[in-house]
Amino acid sequence: MFCAKCGANVADGAKFCDVCGQPMAAPAAPVAPAAPAYAPAAPVAAPAPKKAGLPVILIAVAAVAVVVLLGVLLLGGSSCEGVVDDYFTLQYEGDLSVVEDQAPEAFWNYVTGEYGMSVEQITENPICVAKAQASATESRNDYNDDYGPDWDFDYTVLCEHDLGQTKLAAVQAKLAEKYGIPMEDIEELVTLHIERERSGDLDEDHDVISRTAVKIDGDWYLLSASFYKNGETGAEVFDGDFVVADLVKTYARALSNQ
C-alpha cells in the first residue's frame, strides 16, 4: 500500500510510514452492497377458475324450468292434454263429472232447449251414471282379456297438425249456426296424434290414434270431425259435432223414455 502523505510504498500491515512517519489507516473492510429499499413482490399466481358445483347447476336448471313454466302459464301453452285426459277418463272410468268440460257453455244451452234438461240433470241422474259405468266396465273388460286384470294405460300427445283456414272456416260456420258460438271465438282447429300404451301380465302394445280438436275462446274440445265438398259451390262443409254430443243424445233419450 502507499502513504497518503508522501506516497512512499509501505508494507502491508504497517502502522506508520517508514519515510515520513505518517500513521497509516487500517484498510477498510469490504462493504456489502446495500439492500434495495424494497424487495420486488413475488409473482402471484392467477386464481384457478372455479368449477360450478352441483347445487349451482341444479339451481340454474330449476330457474330455467320456472321460466319455461311461467311462459306456458302466461303466454298460453297447449291444453289439449286436458281434454284428452277427460276423454279417456270417461271412456275407462265412466266418470260423468268430466262431461261438462267436453263442450262449451253454448252447447249445453242448446241441450237444455232441445231436450229440456240441464247438464247436471243428465250427469247426476242414476240412469245416466249407470249407463256410463256399464260402458266403462265393458271397455275395461276388453283390456282384461287382452292384457290381464292388472293392466296399465298411458298416452302421449305426440303432435298437433293445423288443419288450415278452409276447414276452420267450415267448423266456424257450423258451430255458429247450430249453437250460436261467435265465429271469432272459434280460434284453432288441429288434428291430435295420440300414442296409446297398454301393458299387463299377458301382453303389451301401443298404437297411434288421431282426434280432431277445436279451440274455442281459449279452451279445447274434441270433435267428431267429418268434412265434405259441397257439390254445387265446392265449399268445404263440416258435418261433425262435439264428441260428447252423441253421448248426451243417448242419455237424453234414455231419460225421456223412463
Side-chain angles (χ1 to χ4, degrees):
M1 60 182 176
F2 298 91
C3 177
K5 183 177 180 180
C6 67
N9 190 3
V10 182
D12 291 336
K15 294 183 179 181
F16 299 95
C17 177
D18 295 334
V19 177
C20 68
Q22 174 70 19
M24 300 297 294
V31 178
Y38 66 92
V44 179
K50 295 182 179 179
K51 296 182 179 179
L54 183 59
V56 174
I57 295 174
L58 292 178
I59 291 173
V61 172
V64 172
V66 169
V67 171
V68 172
L69 178 59
L70 287 176
V72 171
L73 294 177
L74 297 178
L75 301 180
S78 171
S79 59
C80 291
E81 290 81 357
V83 71
V84 173
D85 192 57
D86 287 347
Y87 172 76
F88 287 129
T89 297
L90 180 60
Q91 182 176 359
Y92 297 121
E93 298 180 21
D95 184 358
L96 291 184
S97 67
V98 303
V99 166
E100 186 172 1
D101 293 333
Q102 296 285 299
E105 183 179 0
F107 171 84
W108 296 112
N109 292 338
Y110 170 87
V111 169
T112 300
E114 184 74 11
Y115 301 107
M117 57 191 70
S118 67
V119 58
E120 291 82 7
Q121 289 175 309
I122 295 174
T123 58
E124 296 175 7
N125 187 283
I127 294 177
C128 298
V129 172
K131 290 180 73 69
Q133 290 294 326
S135 177
T137 299
E138 184 177 353
S139 297
R140 291 197 303 270
N141 286 340
D142 289 341
Y143 278 5
N144 290 344
D145 294 339
D146 294 336
Y147 306 103
D150 296 324
W151 53 269
D152 291 323
F153 173 84
D154 198 6
Y155 77 90
T156 303
V157 178
L158 299 177
C159 63
E160 304 171 13
H161 174 69
D162 193 295
L163 289 176
Q165 288 299 314
T166 301
K167 284 185 168 57
L168 175 61
V171 171
Q172 288 173 329
K174 173 67 175 288
L175 298 185
E177 178 185 2
K178 185 172 183 178
Y179 299 118
I181 301 173
M183 295 180 68
E184 62 271 17
D185 287 352
I186 305 172
E187 304 162 340
E188 294 182 52
L189 183 70
V190 301
T191 295
L192 303 178
H193 300 289
I194 306 166
E195 182 179 39
R196 301 183 300 181
E197 298 180 7
R198 292 147 297 201
S199 61
D201 296 334
L202 300 180
D203 197 5
E204 62 180 40
D205 68 1
H206 68 92
D207 60 6
V208 176
I209 61 173
S210 297
R211 292 291 182 270
T212 302
V214 61
K215 188 177 184 181
I216 302 176
D217 198 21
D219 294 318
W220 288 95
Y221 307 98
L222 294 182
L223 295 178
S224 55
S226 175
F227 295 90
Y228 67 90
K229 293 280 188 179
N230 184 298
E232 296 181 359
T233 65
E236 195 89 38
V237 179
F238 173 61
D239 190 31
D241 208 332
F242 295 104
V243 166
V244 74
D246 287 339
L247 181 71
V248 170
K249 290 176 184 177
T250 299
Y251 290 168
R253 290 169 185 155
L255 294 179
S256 63
N257 293 331
Q258 65 177 331

